[in-house]
Amino acid sequence: MAIGTLLSTSLVVGLFLLSPARAADIKDRTIKIGIGLSADHPQGQSVTKFAEIVSQKSGGKIKVRLFAGGALGNDVTMISALQGGTQEMTIPDTSTLVGISGLKEFGLINLPFLIQSGQEADALLDGPFGQKLMAKLPEKGLIGFGFWENGFRQVTNSRRPITKAEDFAGLKLRVIQNPLFIDTFRELGANAVPMPFTEVYTALETKTIDGQENPLATILASKFYEVQKYAVQSNHIYSVWAFLMSKRFWDRLTPDEQALITDAASEAKDFERKTIRAFELTALDELKSKGVEFSTLSEAEVTKLREKTKAVREKFTVEFGQAGAAEMMSDLERIRSTKQ
């Protein structure tokens, strides 16, 4: 055989061996990802991006199907489905993981008035503290691929503008089914109503509740502006999603498939954070154009809110784990010191 032919053949063989879609390592599979939000929300767009990356890396062998709008259930039921092996992936708010024994430390992320910026959150959650949280998941039947931004939460309602701390009093507000959220708004004087996200729009429309709290991207994508008149940029809690896979499904994957999914998830995480932050920049103006009246709180009023929720921070620091809280605060102090 001629040297040129030999080199050419070796190159082809080499390229085949380096391909992520090797028949011996990548099987035909379908991954169902369920989310509670709409497909056009940045979260849904990022799942679509993840699907594209996985398809490209697997040579089309691994297909990712998005089930949006709560088609597979709410966050709690989908997490259970992952643990049971009947669903492959979901992306719940981390607050819903707190109800699982041994995962209470995830709740520390949501302590009111803790996180100061998205960039600070990235450094915290991609660092030692976030990695420690992810390491707790496998023993609960879950595999974690990092944190996606949900964002700073804002309050909307249909009754009145909120311009001071006392304006929260008496409002019937939907909150996540989580004691920290319930206690936070009760301390502010509101009537906190825990409710699955998939039921919120109808409850607002029928006036069963006065309002709700979510990041601007969710408020816009969920069309809450159709049934809400007022909004306040309260920035009371920063929230994130956890990108999760069923451990039962993960354990059936080959090492090459696991590496492929891990790489694709990392790329999708970066895409999601950029996408949702860009969306947030335009969401405020768009909501205003839809007729939502926005108010802001003075520093004095924010200080009042912080004082009103002090007991909540203290209670849940103990509830979620003082050792974990100390590690988190140490990481935050390190992150903040490097920015100075």
Side-chain angles (χ1 to χ4, degrees):
M1 181 180 292
I3 293 178
T5 304
L6 180 61
L7 289 174
S8 182
T9 302
S10 298
L11 180 59
V12 171
V13 171
L15 288 172
F16 176 75
L17 291 174
L18 289 172
S19 170
R22 285 175 293 173
D25 302 307
I26 308 296
K27 297 178 174 60
D28 290 319
R29 301 185 187 275
T30 298
I31 297 174
K32 301 187 300 293
I33 301 185
I35 63 173
L37 295 164
S38 61
D40 61 354
H41 185 281
Q43 188 190 66
Q45 294 176 30
S46 301
V47 172
T48 299
K49 181 66 174 179
F50 174 71
E52 293 171 356
I53 298 168
V54 169
S55 178
Q56 183 273 323
K57 288 181 179 292
S58 69
K61 288 193 170 187
I62 302 179
K63 298 175 177 60
V64 176
R65 295 184 61 196
L66 170 62
F67 292 82
L72 299 182
N74 60 41
D75 282 353
V76 175
T77 58
M78 287 192 286
I79 290 170
S80 295
L82 262 62
Q83 292 173 310
T86 58
Q87 181 178 323
E88 289 75 36
M89 300 190 80
T90 189
I91 316 170
D93 192 284
T94 53
S95 63
T96 58
L97 294 170
V98 176
I100 300 174
S101 176
L103 299 183
K104 284 189 175 182
E105 279 185 296
F106 276 88
L108 291 168
I109 302 167
N110 297 137
L111 291 176
F113 301 102
L114 174 72
I115 303 294
Q116 298 177 356
S117 70
Q119 290 70 32
E120 180 177 278
D122 290 350
L124 175 68
L125 298 173
D126 292 344
F129 176 72
Q131 291 168 11
K132 178 187 174 184
L133 293 181
M134 286 289 157
K136 293 176 177 290
L137 294 172
E139 66 182 24
K140 305 302 176 183
L142 304 167
I143 299 295
F145 296 102
F147 298 92
W148 288 17
E149 177 161 288
N150 189 357
F152 285 99
R153 304 180 76 88
Q154 322 296 353
V155 174
T156 68
N157 81 96
S158 58
R159 285 179 55 186
R160 59 174 178 262
I162 295 175
T163 59
K164 56 186 185 298
E166 292 76 16
D167 290 335
F168 286 97
L171 290 177
K172 197 171 185 180
L173 299 176
R174 177 269 175 178
V175 298
I176 288 176
Q177 298 159 288
N178 176 287
L180 181 146
F181 284 75
I182 295 169
D183 283 10
T184 294
F185 281 94
R186 283 180 178 168
E187 289 296 323
L188 296 180
N191 180 3
V193 182
M195 180 186 297
F197 181 80
T198 50
E199 300 175 13
V200 176
Y201 186 95
T202 299
L204 293 171
E205 186 176 35
T206 59
K207 305 293 185 182
T208 302
I209 53 177
D210 299 318
Q212 60 81 54
E213 51 89 46
N214 261 298
L216 293 181
T218 299
I219 294 168
L220 178 60
S222 303
K223 299 184 178 180
F224 289 156
Y225 54 82
E226 295 177 344
V227 288
Q228 298 280 267
K229 178 67 174 174
Y230 306 104
V232 58
Q233 291 181 272
S234 47
N235 290 338
H236 52 278
I237 287 173
Y238 180 83
S239 61
V240 292
W241 296 301
F243 194 20
L244 304 179
M245 174 174 278
S246 164
K247 187 175 185 298
R248 291 192 181 187
F249 180 74
W250 172 260
D251 288 342
R252 295 199 300 270
L253 299 177
T254 66
D256 278 357
E257 289 171 335
Q258 291 179 346
L260 183 157
I261 295 296
T262 301
D263 289 346
S266 179
E267 290 184 41
K269 177 189 70 177
D270 293 340
F271 176 87
E272 189 276 339
R273 289 175 177 174
K274 291 177 183 177
T275 301
I276 200 164
R277 286 167 186 167
F279 192 85
E280 285 271 350
L281 291 175
T282 61
L284 178 61
D285 288 339
E286 190 164 349
L287 285 166
K288 287 179 178 179
S289 74
K290 302 286 188 183
V292 179
E293 296 180 14
F294 272 84
S295 57
T296 56
L297 299 169
S298 68
E299 279 299 318
E301 295 302 323
V302 171
T303 298
K304 286 183 188 177
L305 294 176
R306 189 173 287 110
E307 283 301 310
K308 281 177 174 285
T309 55
K310 180 180 179 181
V312 176
R313 289 191 297 278
E314 292 175 347
K315 172 184 176 180
F316 285 97
T317 292
V318 174
E319 174 74 17
F320 296 148
Q322 290 176 298
E327 291 175 16
M328 179 182 70
M329 293 310 300
S330 176
D331 272 9
L332 278 175
E333 288 172 7
R334 172 183 54 79
I335 291 163
R336 289 167 182 169
S337 68
T338 60
K339 293 192 301 183
Q340 295 175 353

